[in-house]
Structure formats: C-alpha cells, structure tokens
Amino acid sequence: MQTDIDPRSLIGRKAFDRQGAKIGTVDEVYLDDATGVPEWAAVRTGLFTRDAFVPLEPSEFVDGALLIPFDRTLIKDAPDFGVGRHLSPEQELQLYRHYGLDSSPSSETGPDRGFGRLAGQEE
C-alpha cells in the first residue's frame, strides 16, 4: 500500500474484496510500532457484526476505497481480537498466518517488539 497516505484518511472509507464486493467500512488503522507505517486496518463488516482485521500490504487505496486482495470469506473469518487495543506480537503473527503472508520482517526484531499501535494514539 502507499506509505505516504495519512492513516486517519482511511477511517470511514469503504473496503472491498478481490472480487469488488463491499466488505464494510474502515473503522481503525494500526501502525507498526517501529516504523509508524500503517500495517493493519479493522473493517466493520456490518451494523451488528464485528470488525475484521485486514493487512494494508498488499491492499491498495484507490479512488477513495480500500481494495483488499483477499476473498470476503477469508476476511470475515479472520481472528477476532476486538478493536481499540494494541495488537500483541502473537496476535499479529496469527493474522499473518491467516492471510498466508510472510511475517519474517516483524520476527527479525525479536519477541519483545510491540505491534499494532492505533493510529492517532501517542505512546
């Protein structure tokens, strides 16, 4: 994903799966603690449903919408950690595994590295 986008500008944007089906609306954006780069988004999947975590890389921000290159079913089946809290390294690794993504960049820094800081929150 473009790293020069203000993560706050993603909040409230529509999110679509690889087929172009609407998944929901971006509720929160989580930043990598070490780099400050937006890494995960929590997408509200419906009025009475939960938020699903989606990776911002390899997703794209196009024409004001977040395009997520995964199927809707995979996204809705993502582990549910609740929103508004810091993602632990273990939770982030679960998400990487769920989406079949390489998690080696984050594991290089060791197990004590913090992950998933919410955009807009100071440490």
Side-chain angles (χ1 to χ4, degrees):
M1 191 178 104
Q2 298 166 261
T3 57
D4 60 338
I5 291 179
D6 179 356
R8 292 171 295 206
S9 69
L10 292 173
I11 296 171
R13 301 297 181 139
K14 303 294 182 218
F16 298 88
D17 74 359
R18 75 164 74 207
Q19 308 297 333
K22 182 182 171 194
I23 298 165
T25 305
V26 177
D27 201 18
E28 293 181 349
V29 175
Y30 291 76
L31 308 178
D32 180 280
D33 285 343
T35 65
V37 173
E39 192 164 13
W40 298 96
V43 176
R44 171 97 28 205
T45 59
L47 186 60
F48 297 107
T49 57
R50 65 181 183 89
D51 284 50
F53 285 92
V54 297
L56 290 175
E57 179 63 44
S59 299
E60 296 181 88
F61 189 60
V62 178
D63 295 329
L66 183 64
L67 308 179
I68 305 159
F70 297 100
D71 290 326
R72 178 184 190 105
T73 303
L74 182 69
I75 294 166
K76 288 195 172 195
D77 288 342
D80 183 4
F81 303 121
V83 294
R85 295 180 284 153
H86 193 270
L87 288 175
S88 73
E90 293 80 18
Q91 290 171 326
E92 189 166 16
L93 288 174
Q94 282 183 311
L95 288 168
Y96 274 113
R97 283 187 208 113
H98 177 77
Y99 286 104
L101 298 172
D102 180 21
S103 62
S104 59
S106 56
S107 61
E108 290 174 2
T109 57
D112 294 329
R113 178 175 172 232
F115 290 94
R117 179 168 46 94
L118 272 168
Q121 288 187 345
E122 298 302 319
E123 296 197 30

